[in-house]
Amino acid sequence: MMPFFPVIDGELIHERPFDAIAAGAARGVELLMGATSDEFRLFSVPTGQSAAVTAEALPLLLRSQGIDPAIADTYAANRPGQSPGDLLSAIISDGFFVLPTIRLLEAQSAHAATYRYEFCWRSPLAGLGSCHALELPFVFDTLGTATSPLFQPDPPQQLADRMHAAWVSFVTTGSPGWSQYDATARPVMTFGHPESRVLENPRADELALWVS
């Protein structure tokens, strides 16, 4: 669905960026990376795609993206009562956003400090949950100047204060204030309201399904 991608042209890019980073091309560069809890809902809910997905169509849609349909069994067991469209959004969110983030953090963790976060405050717009880009006005502390139905009318300023402070700390000190990410404990700072906290290896059963 994306019109432009990096191209291995032999002049500027000589190999997959992931392979170069895993080999140490970004040695010494700290990373702070994460995703929202419901990334794909921004694309599937407003378009009506989520509502149109049936139980019969779900395996076909997953297979069209190169995803084993059997993966949906675990997601469904963990989300009783959710629709096929909800399951599709959860699976695509992991496959396209969360798993690439984790793999890059783990590759870079051998060469520098890495930190992972998850933004889980939910949009007041029905069905969007914690969707793609929802965290941006919290990270940049622009709730007072930016207007959007994605997060208005009453977004929690305390959450923006916490996130913005973490990003400023990372830029100035190299640490956002929680444990470094590693492939054993897998600590994740979850930004929510009224509580933000570090979880170790959340949703381990689902994320393990993606390990090849």
Side-chain angles (χ1 to χ4, degrees), residues 6-195:
V7 175
I8 299 175
D9 60 356
E11 181 177 348
L12 180 63
I13 300 179
H14 297 270
E15 59 185 322
R16 291 197 313 159
F18 177 86
D19 294 334
I21 290 170
R27 186 180 306 275
V29 178
E30 295 90 355
L31 285 182
L32 170 59
M33 297 180 66
T36 66
S37 297
D38 306 297
E39 289 276 357
F40 195 65
R41 284 181 178 269
L42 182 64
F43 310 100
S44 63
V45 172
T47 61
Q49 178 189 25
S50 181
V53 176
T54 64
E56 293 75 19
L58 179 59
L60 301 177
L61 292 169
L62 293 175
R63 193 174 288 112
S64 73
Q65 298 299 321
I67 300 171
D68 183 354
I71 204 171
D73 294 341
T74 299
Y75 281 79
N78 290 344
R79 296 165 173 78
Q82 289 200 5
S83 71
D86 292 331
L87 298 178
L88 177 67
S89 292
I91 293 168
I92 296 297
S93 292
D94 280 350
F96 286 17
F97 294 93
V98 176
L99 266 295
T101 296
I102 289 174
R103 286 168 178 155
L104 184 55
L105 286 171
E106 291 184 350
Q108 182 62 357
S109 65
H111 310 292
T114 61
Y115 304 89
R116 183 182 165 213
Y117 74 91
E118 180 178 328
F119 184 78
C120 52
W121 182 77
R122 299 172 67 84
S123 170
L125 286 180
L128 287 184
S130 183
C131 65
H132 182 70
L134 184 61
E135 81 276 30
L136 295 181
F138 294 87
V139 168
F140 292 104
D141 192 17
T142 57
L143 292 176
T145 58
T147 59
S148 169
L150 278 178
F151 55 87
Q152 296 290 358
D154 189 29
Q157 179 60 46
Q158 301 96 318
L159 179 54
D161 293 341
R162 287 195 295 270
M163 290 197 75
H164 187 67
W167 262 248
V168 170
S169 177
F170 177 73
V171 171
T172 56
T173 71
S175 170
W178 62 87
S179 302
Q180 296 182 27
Y181 190 84
D182 66 79
T184 302
R186 295 186 169 93
V188 184
M189 170 58 82
T190 57
F191 285 102
H193 185 76
E195 182 183 21

